[in-house]
Amino acid sequence: MSSLREVLAGPVLEVAPRLLGAVLTHGDVAVRLTEVEAYDGPNDPGSHAFRGRTPRNAAMFGDPGHLYVYFTYGMHHCCNVVCGPPGTPSAVLLRAGEVVRGAEIARSRRTSRSDRDLARGPARLCQALAIGLAENGADLTSGPLTLELGEQVTAVSTGPRVGLRGAPDRPWRFWESGAATVSSYRPAKRLPPAP
DNA sequence: CCTACGATCGTCT
DNA sequence: GACGATCGTAGGT
């Protein structure tokens, strides 16, 4: 049986689907992951690390098994699990999951009508788990934030990533087939019609 | 169900 | 100075 850190140190495209079914816990709230996206560091025009290391993305260049959290759209946070061999800035964006513990608390943090939507979407997942910049770089093998691999999910679907422009479409989004909590797909803004 | 749009600010050009 | 790994609401079908 391999440790979490060993698994996360593998190639990002192998790690990402293995995270489906894993449970991320922060204090009293826990979320079982149903949708993730792979970001392959320097080879990936869609990755925050594509243009090298900056203060914001520094956590991606750290050891696997840590969190990379960023702030976007002036109001939302998204979180990634850093993976790949140490120093390779690869990460898996946690896009959605189902709240399996602490639903009461998660509900109080969110303005959502249904429990299904509590952690459905990357920023909602962060809200439900109270993950913000304070958690950037957090070690997932100790402390209040922990990640536990679950039973391997066998029914996995793949498709293009969400919300990206300027990156070739790569089927690097993975979700548990049929899961109710998978985020709704919003295609990237369409280009204006050619003249 | 769907598409459209405003919010709001850190980051990098 | 432009834009974003998004969300919630509004309104139409």
Side-chain angles (χ1 to χ4, degrees), chain A residues 41-59:
Chain A
N43 313 310
D44 179 2
S47 169
H48 286 173
F50 182 61
R51 288 178 172 77
R53 180 176 179 147
T54 67
R56 174 170 78 149
N57 66 21

Side-chain angles (χ1 to χ4, degrees), chain A residues 61-195:
Chain A
F61 291 78
D63 289 336
H66 292 250
L67 225 47
Y68 163 50
V69 183
Y70 66 90
F71 181 64
T72 191
Y73 287 102
M75 63 189 92
H76 296 306
H77 297 276
C78 297
C79 77
N80 302 250
V81 174
V82 176
C83 63
T88 67
S90 303
V92 177
L93 171 68
L94 309 183
R95 284 199 59 86
E98 52 183 322
V99 174
V100 291
R101 220 175 68 224
E104 192 87 4
I105 299 170
R107 248 177 252 130
S108 73
R109 294 170 177 160
R110 300 244 326 111
T111 53
S112 100
R113 294 179 221 305
S114 66
D115 281 6
R116 178 197 189 210
D117 285 344
L118 281 177
R120 187 180 189 228
R124 294 165 172 176
L125 183 147
C126 283
Q127 239 178 286
L129 285 167
I131 290 174
L133 286 182
E135 282 69 39
N136 187 30
D139 186 349
L140 292 170
T141 62
S142 67
L145 270 157
T146 58
L147 181 67
E148 301 174 272
L149 295 179
E151 264 183 56
Q152 186 106 13
V153 171
T154 49
V156 176
S157 301
T158 72
R161 296 180 293 186
V162 174
L164 290 183
R165 298 162 54 135
D169 282 347
R170 302 177 188 185
W172 289 356
R173 183 166 73 112
F174 301 89
W175 64 95
E176 181 180 25
S177 306
T181 48
V182 170
S183 68
S184 57
Y185 179 76
R186 261 182 288 260
K189 193 176 177 183
R190 212 179 62 179
L191 294 170

